[in-house]
Amino acid sequence: MAPPAGQIRPGRYLAFFVLIVIGLYSLVFFTGDGKPTPKLGIDLQGGTRVTLTARTLDGAEPSKEALNQAKTIIETRVNGIGVSGTEVVLDGNNVVITVPGEQGDQAKNLGQTAKLGFRKVANVQAATPLPQQPPPGTQPPASQPPAEGQPSQAPAAGQSSAPPAGGSAPGAAPAQEQPAPPTPGSPEAEAAAIQAAKALRQNPALVANPADQAAAAAAQQLQQETLAQFQCLPNDPLRGNDDPTLPLVACLKDGSQKFVLEPEFLPGTMIDTAASGYDSQRGGYVVDLTFKADGTKVWGDFTSANVNKQAAFVLDTQVVSAPNITVPILDGRTQITGGFTQAEAKNLADVLKYGSLPLSFASSDATTVSATLGLASLQAGLIAGGIGLLLVFIYCLFYYRLLGVLTILSLALSGAIVYGVLVLLGRWIGFTLDLAGVAGFIIAIGVTADSFVVFFERLKDEMREGRSFRSAVPRGWVRGRRTILASDAVMFLAAAVLYLLAVGEVRGFAFTLGMSTVLDLVVVFLVTHPLVAMVSKSKTLSSPKISGLGGVQRVGSQRRTAKVAGATVKEA
């Protein structure tokens, strides 16, 4: 027979909760690697997180297909490097690479576009060293007077470059409102920089048919002018975004030479394999390439027709090396030299072996946390959580006595199932616990304790109205249950909205907060309420000296006596 409304069979609820815990920890210990440890984020165990932001030629949003393809290629590169525990995830238009431990330096190169192409060298010129930037706070040197016969570039002292008063000069066009320049660093600004670089360095007129002498002479003149304007900058806006069907003005890797290159005659997609090694004859590390069948034919035809000429190996709009062709190469093999270190040669071989990315990426953020700092962060999080729990325990014991003990027990059981769920989520979906997640759990302690307080205060309200401890439990639970459900529903909705709108670590905070809120309901319904019901049925445990409800019972007795006396007076 079902119990009356508000009354339960506590044993069944507690037995159901015990089954849940047994099932949960059976999965923890007997599935996966069987280790009862959650997956920690790099801020707790140390590591590197690199955020790569996709760039497009026109500043538009990259397609989802291109982002997924880039993610797959980066994952392949990660597996090829052999760094264990690395994660590659899409976060909006960003690709986030997380490498735990001390192997994170390799992750900073995984976002290289690796767009390799082979071009014929049309012109080469030594690059002018970049001027040294004066240190902050120092005055630039005084400008030299202009050479004789040359106009001055700046107005003389006492003169103003502003237009004369009284309006514009006669015949001048009326001033027009200029559009606001794009914000530096914005996608629009990057797209404008790419287009400007293409207009200068990928002009089709840079290369002409040698048979047309007039066009060849004009192209030669344009090459000299372009090389004079072009400077080798460390952050090339065109990197990885050049058009292979057009000529290209680019720099050698070390910035010592500038090249005018003809359109690409052999793309990097025709590479079959790539491997790094040490060339004892040259005395440096190199990358050996082997072409596919069609690439072998193209490379053989080119080298046969261009003996004693230069061919440039262009990687992401940068000339890696430009060797002189001495003999035809017909076996489909070639070698890239470029003053590599061992790590650089291996990294280049790896990225070439697994193909180029469909998008170019800018490294917008790279965070490295040492293992020592991660351990210190974990200890700080545990100390903060321990202090929070201790304060809740002291308050509950002081204010609720025996009910406070039930609160402590419920919180301990809640922590047990939260920990088990964390281990399984890390194993199944790769959920990592970071500092933001720890903060979510610490806040969840207060949310869980708040549910107990609501229930206990409703229970006291019922006893103040004259009911006994035993009869007040079902009525107080019915009234408190609504408030607990409403409070947790609001908290869960807030966490869900935050999870959907936020990115990065904030999502981890929202996830842990929402998960703890759901598990709070499980503990309150299956543990706290049944335990309180069991205590109310025990003569020993429900004693006012142990339960701490003596004061409330006295108030209820006084009100009940007053009601009886009032009713007696009315009857008289």
Side-chain angles (χ1 to χ4, degrees):
M1 185 177 69
Q7 294 186 0
I8 61 171
R9 293 187 174 92
R12 293 187 179 183
Y13 284 80
L14 293 174
F16 185 54
F17 181 79
V18 170
L19 287 177
I20 291 177
V21 174
I22 292 175
L24 187 64
Y25 277 89
S26 296
L27 293 174
V28 169
F29 288 108
F30 299 109
T31 63
D33 56 5
K35 295 181 179 178
T37 52
K39 195 172 183 179
L40 301 179
I42 64 167
D43 51 356
L44 294 181
Q45 65 168 327
T48 301
R49 177 181 290 125
V50 179
T51 302
L52 304 173
T53 302
R55 300 188 306 176
T56 56
L57 292 176
D58 55 359
E61 294 280 331
S63 67
K64 197 68 178 177
E65 181 182 1
L67 285 171
N68 285 325
Q69 186 180 355
K71 173 178 173 289
T72 302
I73 293 174
I74 292 176
E75 285 177 336
T76 307
R77 292 179 179 178
V78 170
N79 295 331
I81 291 175
V83 180
S84 60
T86 302
E87 288 184 345
V88 182
V89 298
L90 286 179
D91 189 358
N93 293 334
N94 300 328
V95 177
V96 181
I97 308 169
T98 303
V99 183
E102 299 178 351
Q103 309 175 75
D105 288 341
Q106 300 179 65
K108 297 177 181 177
N109 298 319
L110 291 174
Q112 184 179 2
T113 306
K115 182 181 176 185
L116 180 66
F118 297 79
R119 294 171 180 262
K120 183 180 178 181
V121 176
N123 201 340
V124 60
Q125 186 180 93
T128 303
L130 294 176
Q132 298 293 327
Q133 295 293 331
T138 59
Q139 295 294 330
S143 60
Q144 298 295 326
E148 187 177 356
Q150 291 184 355
S152 174
Q153 298 297 322
Q159 294 181 351
S160 173
S161 59
S168 58
Q176 296 182 354
E177 185 177 354
Q178 298 296 325
T183 305
S186 64
E188 294 77 11
E190 291 189 355
I194 292 173
Q195 295 300 332
K198 288 192 69 173
L200 174 66
R201 297 162 54 190
Q202 293 218 276
N203 188 344
L206 284 167
V207 177
N209 186 355
D212 188 345
Q213 295 184 357
Q220 187 72 19
Q221 178 65 26
L222 181 60
Q223 290 175 12
Q224 296 299 329
E225 294 174 357
T226 304
L227 288 173
Q229 296 181 47
F230 174 58
Q231 285 189 328
C232 297
L233 299 176
N235 297 319
D236 186 357
L238 198 56
R239 177 167 296 177
N241 290 309
D242 61 281
D243 187 343
T245 63
L246 296 174
L248 174 67
V249 177
C251 285
L252 192 62
K253 177 184 172 187
D254 59 3
S256 61
Q257 289 182 311
K258 296 185 284 188
F259 294 87
V260 176
L261 307 172
E262 294 187 5
E264 184 178 290
F265 67 89
L266 179 60
T269 54
M270 293 187 178
I271 295 174
D272 186 16
T273 61
S276 62
Y278 186 80
D279 189 337
S280 57
Q281 295 181 351
R282 297 173 184 265
Y285 289 93
V286 297
V287 178
D288 294 309
L289 302 179
T290 303
F291 293 107
K292 299 176 183 175
D294 49 355
T296 299
K297 183 178 185 309
V298 173
W299 183 242
D301 293 344
F302 178 82
T303 53
S304 299
N306 293 278
V307 175
N308 295 326
K309 294 181 181 178
Q310 280 185 284
F313 300 166
V314 183
L315 180 68
D316 294 345
T317 323
Q318 190 177 57
V319 177
V320 179
S321 62
N324 191 50
I325 301 171
T326 55
V327 294
I329 304 174
L330 306 176
D331 60 354
R333 298 176 182 274
T334 190
Q335 194 174 72
I336 300 179
T337 60
F340 302 119
T341 63
Q342 183 178 10
E344 289 174 340
K346 183 179 185 306
N347 177 64
L348 178 58
D350 287 339
V351 297
L352 292 178
K353 185 165 53 181
Y354 298 118
S356 61
L357 299 177
L359 297 167
S360 63
F361 288 89
S363 179
S364 57
D365 182 43
T367 304
T368 300
V369 180
S370 68
T372 304
L373 183 59
L375 182 60
S377 301
L378 178 60
Q379 291 175 344
L382 293 176
I383 291 173
I387 292 175
L389 278 174
L390 180 63
L391 292 176
V392 172
F393 289 173
I394 293 174
Y395 174 81
C396 291
L397 289 175
F398 176 77
Y399 196 72
Y400 292 113
R401 307 287 178 82
L402 179 61
L403 296 182
V405 175
L406 299 183
T407 300
I408 295 171
L409 179 60
S410 300
L411 283 174
L413 293 173
S414 175
I417 62 172
V418 166
Y419 188 84
V421 170
L422 274 181
V423 174
L424 294 179
L425 289 180
R427 189 177 299 168
W428 291 343
I429 65 173
F431 175 76
T432 57
L433 178 63
D434 52 16
L435 277 178
V438 172
F441 283 123
I442 292 175
I443 293 177
I445 294 173
V447 176
T448 305
D450 181 64
S451 300
F452 303 149
V453 171
V454 169
F455 177 33
F456 296 159
E457 291 303 319
R458 293 296 187 190
L459 176 63
K460 286 185 174 181
D461 289 342
E462 295 294 330
M463 295 181 68
R464 289 190 187 95
E465 293 178 2
R467 293 183 177 83
S468 65
F469 182 17
R470 184 169 184 171
S471 63
V473 169
R475 294 181 63 88
W477 170 247
V478 171
R479 295 177 61 187
R481 183 177 58 193
R482 299 172 185 170
T483 307
I484 293 171
L485 288 173
S487 173
D488 281 3
V490 172
M491 182 64 71
F492 181 79
L493 287 176
V497 172
L498 183 62
Y499 179 81
L500 293 175
L501 298 181
V503 296
E505 296 177 352
V506 180
R507 298 188 78 181
F509 169 80
F511 185 86
T512 54
L513 183 60
M515 183 183 71
S516 301
T517 303
V518 174
L519 295 179
D520 165 50
L521 291 177
V522 174
V523 172
V524 171
F525 276 73
L526 298 183
V527 177
T528 309
H529 176 214
L531 286 177
V532 174
M534 291 180 68
V535 168
S536 68
K537 296 176 182 178
S538 171
K539 291 183 179 179
T540 303
L541 296 179
S542 62
S543 167
K545 293 182 180 178
I546 298 178
S547 66
L549 299 174
V552 181
Q553 284 183 338
R554 285 192 294 274
V555 173
S557 178
Q558 292 171 0
R559 290 184 177 178
R560 187 169 58 247
T561 303
K563 287 182 179 178
V564 172
T568 304
V569 171
K570 287 183 178 179
E571 290 177 357

